[in-house]
């Protein structure tokens, strides 16, 4: 009788493979099949040993090449073949990663599920840019917020609760809506001069950043290559002096491609 396999929902972190947990690396090495998102960096994908069944489900904000119900079914089917499956997700599977939705479906189908956390993009970008998420005298808390709604529905965030000069806001999937987000925050009282930062591909060799006032950030960051994360708050004033601005990103991407 064939035994049922299991699915490990593994956080691949923000991109730098050295930020993977030991547990994640062991899971990747032990996997029979790896089902991965577009957001997982090529540097992390290079760690998957040869011979694994590799399935891309190409998920990214605003672009779902494989619908979620098909991904769920795929995971169930692979586990029912008796395989150990790694479901590899960018950052942490439980932060804007739909990991818990997949786990619910798997458990309902009687499949064993395990979570392995990853470093979320906000933490990776905080370390690589030097912008702390909290800092005495500047921010007493941090909020992770989505800047995108499923199927491009209107953004209906609780704007008033987001306006706090003592909080660092980190906005995921916000590139398309950052102008609206900034406008709503300013309309509710956050100063237009609040420092803001956009970080593209944090922790990878492609990382670059744009720092500007809140009322300018959407315009200054327009066209940055995905994935992009936005920070808003007084902590952005502590951004490290070193680090690459995005002005020359096309040249650097080209140089990296030919290196
Ligand atoms: C669907 S969410 C997934 C978040 C992920 N689960 C996490 O914990 O980081 C995708 C968004 O995460 C952000 N993101 C993920 N990795 C990033 C990186 N290396 N640099 C900048 N933003 C990143 C971007 O805002 C992107 O649109």
């Amino acid at each position: 009788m064939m035994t049922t396999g299991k699915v490990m929902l593994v956080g691949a972190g923000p991109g730098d493979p050295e930020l993977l947990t030991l547990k994640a690396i062991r899971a990747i090495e032990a996997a029979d099949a790896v089902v991965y998102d577009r957001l997982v960096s090529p540097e992390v994908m290079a760690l998957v040993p040869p011979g694994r069944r590799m399935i891309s489900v190409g998920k990214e904000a605003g672009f779902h090449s494989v619908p979620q119900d098909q991904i769920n079914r795929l995971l169930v089917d692979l586990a029912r073949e008796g395989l150990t499956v790694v479901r590899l997700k960018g950052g942490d599977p439980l932060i804007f990663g739909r990991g818990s939705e997949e786990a619910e479906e798997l458990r309902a189908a009687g499949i064993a599920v395990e979570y392995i956390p990853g470093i979320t993009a906000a933490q990776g970008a905080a370390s690589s840019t030097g912008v702390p998420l909290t800092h005495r005298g500047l921010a007493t808390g941090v909020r992770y917020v989505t800047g995108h709604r499923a199927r491009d529905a209107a953004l209906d965030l609780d704007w008033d609760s987001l306006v706090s000069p003592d909080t660092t806001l980190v906005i995921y999937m916000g590139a398309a809506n950052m102008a609206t987000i900034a406008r709503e925050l300013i309309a509710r009282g956050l100063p237009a001069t609040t420092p803001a930062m956009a970080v593209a591909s944090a922790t990878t060799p492609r990382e670059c950043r744009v720092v500007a006032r809140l009322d300018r950030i959407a315009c200054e960051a327009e066209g940055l290559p995905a994935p992009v994360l936005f920070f808003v708050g007084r902590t952005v004033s502590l951004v490290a002096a070193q680090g690459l601005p995005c002005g020359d990103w096309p040249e650097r991407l080209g140089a990296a491609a030919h290196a």
Side-chain angles (χ1 to χ4, degrees):
M1 195 186 79
M2 195 172 70
T3 53
T4 306
K6 66 172 179 175
V7 177
M8 292 182 278
L9 292 153
V10 179
D16 178 351
E18 304 232 334
L19 295 177
L20 282 165
T21 64
L22 284 177
K23 222 171 177 179
I25 290 177
R26 288 192 187 121
I28 290 168
E29 284 170 355
D32 301 306
V34 178
V35 178
Y36 61 98
D37 285 349
R38 180 179 295 248
L39 199 60
V40 178
S41 72
E43 292 84 0
V44 169
M45 291 307 300
L47 295 181
V48 179
R52 304 314 189 252
R53 204 187 300 181
M54 304 292 290
I55 304 167
S56 164
V57 290
K59 239 151 55 81
E60 204 176 56
F63 178 80
H64 296 250
S65 69
V66 180
Q68 188 63 48
D69 58 342
Q70 276 182 41
I71 296 175
N72 297 344
R73 217 171 311 133
L74 171 71
L75 295 172
V76 169
D77 289 347
L78 290 169
R80 285 193 175 144
E81 279 183 46
L83 303 179
T84 297
V85 182
V86 158
R87 172 70 175 104
L88 199 53
K89 289 172 167 288
D92 182 86
L94 298 178
I95 297 181
F96 304 126
R98 303 182 83 167
S100 43
E101 290 174 41
E102 291 175 12
E104 271 187 319
E105 293 287 333
L106 288 159
R107 289 193 185 114
I111 310 288
V113 181
E114 187 186 338
Y115 289 121
I116 299 181
I119 290 183
T120 190
Q123 291 170 290
S127 294
S128 63
T129 62
V131 172
L133 297 169
T134 65
H135 186 92
R136 240 173 351 141
L138 293 180
T140 52
V142 56
R143 291 262 315 254
Y144 296 166
V145 182
T146 176
H148 166 83
R149 282 292 198 233
R151 285 174 281 281
D152 294 325
L155 261 188
D156 57 350
L157 301 177
D158 179 1
W159 298 107
D160 289 322
S161 81
L162 296 178
V163 176
S164 154
D166 296 328
T167 298
T168 304
L169 288 181
V170 185
I171 299 152
Y172 288 70
M173 298 170 279
N177 289 323
M178 197 54 210
T180 307
I181 293 168
R183 199 170 51 240
E184 294 284 352
L185 294 174
I186 293 166
R188 284 165 176 79
L190 204 60
T193 53
T194 304
M197 172 175 72
V199 195
S201 298
T203 81
T204 75
R206 301 166 292 286
E207 174 174 323
C208 66
R209 70 178 78 142
V210 169
V211 177
R213 296 162 35 134
L214 177 57
D215 60 350
R216 297 280 313 148
I217 191 68
C219 174
E220 300 281 338
E222 200 176 337
L224 289 189
V228 179
L229 198 63
F230 290 87
F231 285 60
V232 176
R234 293 185 293 168
T235 48
V236 174
S237 62
L238 298 180
V239 64
Q242 76 273 19
L244 287 157
C246 286
D248 60 348
W249 66 263
E251 290 77 8
R252 287 195 299 106
L253 285 179
H258 295 109

